[in-house]
Amino acid sequence: MGATWLGIACGIGAGALWGLVFLAPELASAFTPLQLAAGRYLAYGLFAVLLVLPRWRALRAGLGLREWWALAWLSLLGNILYYALLATAVQMGGMAMTSLVIGFLPVAVTVIGSRDHGAVPVRKLVPSLLLGAAGILCIGWQSVGDALGDAQTGMPMAEMTGLLCAVGALVSWTVYAVGNSRWLAWLGHVSAHDWSLLTGVVTGAQALLLAVPAFLFAQSGHAAGEWLRFAAVVTGLAILASIVGNALWNRMSRLLPLTLVGQMILFETLFALLYGFLWEQRLPTGMELAALVCVTGSVLSCVAAHRPKPPETARQPAPA
């Protein structure tokens, strides 16, 4: 179980860093989601190029057209499209509602992973899935109530748009998580860290295309202080969430089966909530505390389901 606990530790670390992305739209609210996505991934691409340069020749020799194509669609789904949708959802629907929808990622990834050869069957994962779903429902209970209240006063459009964007982000990242995990399992000659950096290089190239409409056609100008805050936010996300967080996630993906990988996504939601409490300067409500208990129980029960069975010992004959 040593590799399993190391993988869980990496998953917790990735979740702690990825939870920061939910704060970024609030910290740089003067900028659009497209601008946040373009800025973050331009910075990610720049740092990734600098870090990958010393090993570029060796890495390029081990990659063919299929690998580069995989990097292209994984970068688009898991980075550019996902974060643009997520940032829109946070700005239009709020952090709690977005956390609610994104929190269903563990269920989607775990169910897909259960179809892999040799995976733990779904029936053994039912307690974990039920606890995870209960935790996410607790997280979003108040948010959904507020949204329904707004709908009755004739102001549902922003929340509805945010909800649709959150669902799109859920689908986008589910496809990325499954595809990335399977490519890492297949590419034994490429380290998890190098795969993360290569993803950053490709994402940075895509962000160059995104930056043109994001910044050149923007209607409103920004003060110097806003630009400094924007630069600090996207640089921090590039280093912490993209480079370090992705490296931890890829390391975890090689240590854990896909059915357990799915549960690790719960930590992103958990830390997003904790950061939200700090940002709003408040304590969690009773429902939010219940969510924390459910999330913890979900992960622990999933770990228990993946424990190998002890070898059966031969029964001794009864004494005469």
Side-chain angles (χ1 to χ4, degrees):
M1 291 289 288
T4 298
W5 288 112
L6 176 59
I8 291 172
C10 290
I12 293 173
L17 295 173
W18 283 354
L20 295 171
V21 306
F22 288 78
L23 266 181
E26 299 289 347
L27 292 171
S29 57
F31 293 84
T32 68
L34 280 182
Q35 290 172 334
L36 284 169
R40 172 188 175 182
Y41 293 121
L42 281 173
Y44 179 26
L46 176 61
F47 288 121
V49 167
L50 294 176
L51 291 171
V52 86
L53 272 179
R55 300 186 302 283
W56 174 247
R57 289 187 179 180
L59 287 173
R60 186 179 61 178
L63 298 175
L65 184 59
R66 286 184 62 197
E67 287 77 12
W68 285 111
W69 172 247
L71 283 166
W73 68 263
L74 286 172
S75 298
L76 181 63
L77 290 178
N79 290 327
I80 301 289
L81 181 60
Y82 169 72
Y83 191 63
L85 290 171
L86 183 140
T88 304
V90 170
Q91 288 187 348
M92 303 194 74
M95 286 181 65
M97 185 279 294
T98 306
S99 299
L100 163 68
V101 177
I102 299 300
F104 280 98
L105 274 168
V107 178
V109 175
T110 300
V111 170
I112 294 172
S114 68
R115 300 170 62 90
D116 287 357
H117 177 69
V120 174
V122 174
R123 58 183 174 80
K124 289 189 175 182
L125 299 173
V126 168
S128 177
L129 294 174
L130 290 177
L131 282 169
I136 298 305
L137 289 174
C138 289
I139 289 168
W141 183 265
Q142 186 172 351
S143 175
V144 171
D146 291 344
L148 290 175
D150 289 342
Q152 292 176 353
T153 61
M155 299 170 57
M157 186 56 69
E159 288 82 0
M160 183 61 66
T161 303
L163 176 62
L164 291 175
C165 288
V167 171
L170 168 68
V171 174
S172 178
W173 215 86
T174 298
V175 176
Y176 163 78
V178 174
N180 188 62
S181 181
R182 289 174 174 167
W183 270 99
L184 281 167
W186 188 71
L187 291 172
H189 62 286
V190 179
S191 73
H193 182 56
D194 285 338
W195 185 252
S196 174
L197 293 178
L198 289 169
T199 303
V201 172
V202 175
T203 302
Q206 294 174 347
L208 283 172
L209 300 176
L210 181 64
V212 175
F215 290 102
L216 292 185
F217 303 122
Q219 297 297 320
S220 59
H222 300 285
E226 291 176 330
W227 279 111
L228 286 174
R229 171 175 284 200
F230 174 78
V233 168
V234 298
T235 301
L237 287 181
I239 295 174
L240 297 175
S242 294
I243 292 180
V244 182
N246 288 4
L248 288 171
W249 181 265
N250 287 343
R251 175 65 173 155
M252 177 214 64
S253 296
R254 279 192 164 156
L255 293 170
L256 303 180
L258 190 55
T259 46
L260 189 50
V261 165
Q263 297 301 302
M264 295 300 102
I265 306 170
L266 285 169
F267 286 108
E268 179 185 11
T269 303
L270 178 61
F271 279 100
L273 280 172
L274 294 177
Y275 299 149
F277 299 149
L278 292 173
W279 175 255
E280 296 171 2
Q281 298 182 354
R282 67 177 179 88
L283 294 173
T285 64
M287 291 297 290
E288 288 163 341
L289 282 174
L292 301 182
V293 174
C294 289
V295 167
T296 303
S298 175
V299 174
L300 291 177
S301 63
C302 190
V303 172
H306 284 81
R307 285 178 180 170
K309 292 183 179 180
E312 295 184 3
T313 56
R315 298 183 65 181
Q316 298 294 325

